[in-house]
Amino acid sequence: MHSWTDTLRFAFQPVVNLMTGGVAALEILARPEAGDVLAEARRDPGLDGRLAVAAFRAAVHKETLLPLHLNVFAGTLADLGGLTPLHDAVREAGRLPWEVTIDVAPPYTHVPQQALLEAVAALRDQGFRICADGVGDGDAPLRLLTDLVPELVKLDASLLARPAAVRAMRTLCDELGALLSVEGVETELQCAAARSAGAQLAQGDLFAPPARLPAADVYVPPRSPGAVPVTRSGPSVREFVRPAALLPATASAGQVRALLTGSPDVSGVLLVDRDGVPVRSVHRSRFLLSMSGRYGHALYADRPAAKLGDLPRTVGVDATAWEVLDVVAVGGRDRTSDDVAVVDAYGRCVGVVRLADLVRALAENRVEEAAGLNPLTRLPGSDAITGEVDRRIAEGRAFALSWLDVDHFKQVNDGAGFAAGDELIRTVGRVLQQAASGHTRVGHIGGDDFLVLTDPEGLDPLAAAVLDASWSAGGRSVTLSLATVLCVPGSVPDHRQAAACLAPLKKAAKALPGASWVVGRAGVPGHEVRRGSDRAPAPAG
């Protein structure tokens, strides 16, 4: 009688890092030559568990050093309470459990959620990482997704036609400390959409189709000039993590040499203790130079490789690219090319980052930021502000969006000259920047028009800074008009509606003589005059 293993083969599909263009991991996919073993596994948790072990062993047989993704049905985990045979197989193969990510696959309907969460907790205790698979085209409840707290969320490519949903999922992932991946990417347009919506990882036939051998090369379209990653205090180190070459702390120099000579793309090896915590860092060039010297092999081959290594440089998974640069800046110049180990909350190595990747991304950020700045004030334009408005809406945060301009600015330019007008605009921009605090964002959208996004409690000091000051251009007295719309969670769906609510308030502010400030609330008729000759509430418009 034939076993299901007689006709079962496995294929490998790369998971690509959209920032570095490198392969971040390999997903192992069952490819039966006959029958539908996956349908059987969906009904038989024991079979599904054995499939995961067989998939892992197939990867070990191919001698890949890359992190692995194994698919397991949610019902299987809930029924078995974990995957102890897989943990045993990983240890027997000399791999580390946190190099393996369990892709928890739908369906979730009728799966006991508490049992599933307990099984996931057991997997985490063993060291495995967790991915929520099939999100957006499956039946994963949002509450369960947040309870799982996965390290990775995989979206179906069909959601790319709904970029707002992908951006919202990126926001959720940021809150959960997870990365966002898109599956089934087949075209360069889909790849560009995934990048612009904030996805950090992707897989699909565009990069490399599933194959019997792990892909040596993948195709990743170049970044378009406008494809700037969404960042606040600098890009997250998570976006740059590459697989790490790991060996036990007890490895000999000969073992390290064999790994390096057999893997030309590996720039260094991290020696880790039994818990996966980096203890020494072996740099490729310095190590091979020592080994290639006269008597080098005879002296070092059988000695511990740790003697030829350095103390590792490490950062947490929540670090920013700028923080990594701070780590690199400490120490000798001869170590600037060393990989920096990225560690999780337990100190375990989850990958490495390379200085070249960080410098390139930060340089691209600076170039894109500079391209979007107004040349007169060096303030960002409307795109930066409206993008931040959409992020705050997605995060469910209250905010105030304000428009500010100079009254009768054309007359200022005609009477005082354009040089005096330009200097006035620059001064207004500087005052706005100086008054901005906390999460306030200031933008110059052209001419004498400014946009200011702030928390509601930051409005009064900002308004006082610009409206209480005495303004003049070429000896002519000048006043400013300010209009603000307050937006509470759920009051506007996107920045376009917020701007539409702001338009009539701008008109009302301009209708008042002298320095003026009008405040309204999104979705609520009428407005309040806080500065100007009319102190009574009046209808909007």
Side-chain angles (χ1 to χ4, degrees):
M1 182 176 180
H2 290 290
S3 166
W4 56 268
T5 57
D6 294 337
T7 59
L8 183 63
R9 301 293 182 268
F10 292 94
F12 303 86
Q13 185 168 43
V15 179
V16 174
N17 186 316
L18 293 176
M19 179 64 74
T20 66
V23 178
L26 291 173
E27 181 176 356
I28 312 171
L29 305 167
R31 290 290 185 263
E33 295 180 1
D36 191 348
V37 69
L38 294 181
E40 293 180 37
R42 180 175 168 179
R43 296 187 294 268
D44 183 347
L47 173 58
D48 194 28
R50 295 195 297 275
L51 268 178
V53 174
F56 172 76
R57 288 179 173 156
V60 171
H61 180 68
K62 300 299 182 183
E63 298 182 344
T64 176
L65 294 175
L66 289 167
L68 304 172
H69 284 246
L70 302 175
N71 293 284
V72 181
F73 289 112
T76 295
L77 296 179
D79 188 84
L80 298 181
L83 297 170
T84 300
L86 175 62
H87 183 259
D88 294 341
V90 171
R91 286 299 191 182
E92 289 169 8
R95 295 296 295 265
L96 299 171
W98 41 96
E99 296 180 274
V100 178
T101 297
I102 306 299
D103 287 9
V104 183
Y108 293 92
T109 303
H110 307 308
V111 173
Q113 293 193 9
Q114 187 57 40
L116 174 60
L117 293 174
E118 290 174 359
V120 166
L123 289 171
R124 279 209 173 92
D125 287 342
Q126 292 173 331
F128 292 110
R129 298 166 69 78
I130 302 299
C131 165
D133 200 0
V135 175
D137 195 40
D139 60 346
L142 190 58
R143 186 178 66 182
L144 176 61
L145 184 62
T146 57
D147 289 343
L148 284 173
V149 196
E151 282 80 16
L152 178 66
V153 172
K154 286 187 177 180
L155 296 184
D156 187 83
S158 62
L159 275 188
L160 292 175
R162 301 166 179 82
V166 183
R167 287 195 296 270
M169 188 56 65
R170 168 63 192 268
T171 298
L172 176 60
C173 285
D174 287 344
E175 291 292 325
L176 296 176
L179 291 177
L180 180 63
S181 182
V182 177
E183 296 183 288
V185 176
E186 297 181 350
T187 68
E188 294 196 11
L189 284 176
Q190 286 182 319
C191 179
R195 278 173 164 153
S196 64
Q200 296 124 326
L201 303 172
Q203 60 190 114
D205 289 354
L206 172 67
F207 312 108
R212 294 289 175 85
L213 294 176
D217 296 301
V218 294
Y219 169 71
V220 181
R223 297 177 64 86
S224 61
V228 183
V230 176
T231 60
R232 290 178 178 82
S233 56
S236 168
V237 73
R238 296 172 187 269
E239 301 180 23
F240 305 93
V241 173
R242 291 176 177 266
L246 305 177
L247 283 177
T250 55
S252 68
Q255 290 175 296
V256 172
R257 183 177 183 275
L259 190 157
L260 291 175
T261 55
S263 307
D265 293 335
V266 173
S267 56
V269 176
L270 288 172
L271 305 179
V272 298
D273 65 17
R274 61 179 299 171
D275 294 320
V277 177
V279 294
R280 302 296 281 181
S281 172
V282 180
H283 184 269
R284 180 187 188 90
S285 298
R286 293 197 299 273
F287 174 84
L288 292 179
L289 184 62
S290 298
M291 291 289 287
S292 62
R294 191 177 185 183
Y295 309 122
H297 189 272
L299 285 172
Y300 298 116
D302 295 326
R303 298 182 66 185
K307 293 185 177 297
L308 293 175
D310 301 288
L311 289 175
R313 291 172 165 177
T314 62
V315 295
V317 292
D318 295 321
T320 67
W322 293 110
E323 291 169 326
V324 178
L325 292 185
D326 289 339
V327 170
V328 173
V330 176
R333 294 183 179 179
D334 60 329
R335 295 197 62 191
T336 55
S337 62
D338 287 18
D339 293 342
V340 176
V342 181
V343 297
D344 63 13
Y346 302 98
R348 303 176 303 200
C349 180
V350 298
V352 295
V353 290
R354 295 180 180 175
L355 180 62
D357 291 336
L358 302 182
V359 171
R360 182 172 58 250
L362 293 173
E364 288 176 354
N365 269 348
R366 286 291 184 248
V367 169
E368 292 298 336
E369 287 174 5
L373 297 180
N374 187 286
L376 184 61
T377 59
R378 308 304 295 168
L379 289 172
S382 60
D383 287 349
I385 304 299
T386 56
E388 181 64 22
V389 167
D390 284 336
R391 283 190 287 278
R392 296 194 187 192
I393 292 172
E395 293 168 2
R397 295 168 56 189
F399 63 89
L401 182 63
S402 299
W403 163 89
L404 175 79
D405 83 339
V406 178
D407 294 327
H408 311 297
F409 184 64
K410 185 177 184 305
Q411 296 177 19
V412 173
N413 266 346
D414 291 344
F418 71 88
D422 286 352
E423 181 57 33
L424 173 62
I425 296 303
R426 280 192 287 266
T427 305
V428 172
R430 283 196 297 269
V431 170
L432 282 172
Q433 282 185 294
Q434 292 166 0
S437 61
H439 300 291
T440 298
R441 299 288 302 275
V442 179
H444 182 192
I445 60 177
D448 62 324
D449 292 321
F450 294 86
L451 276 179
V452 182
L453 175 64
T454 187
D455 295 330
E457 57 269 21
L459 276 175
D460 286 334
L462 188 139
V466 292
L467 297 181
D468 289 347
S470 297
W471 299 97
S472 64
R476 296 168 176 263
S477 180
V478 174
T479 58
L480 306 182
S481 293
L482 180 66
T484 300
V485 59
L486 297 172
C487 300
V488 298
S491 61
V492 289
D494 53 33
H495 72 269
R496 295 177 182 83
Q497 187 60 41
C501 294
L502 187 57
L505 302 175
K506 171 183 174 180
K507 182 178 179 181
K510 296 298 288 183
L512 298 173
S516 61
W517 182 21
V518 167
V519 178
R521 296 181 179 274
V524 178
H527 62 258
E528 174 190 357
V529 177
R530 295 194 181 179
R531 295 288 182 96
S533 60
D534 181 6
R535 294 284 179 176

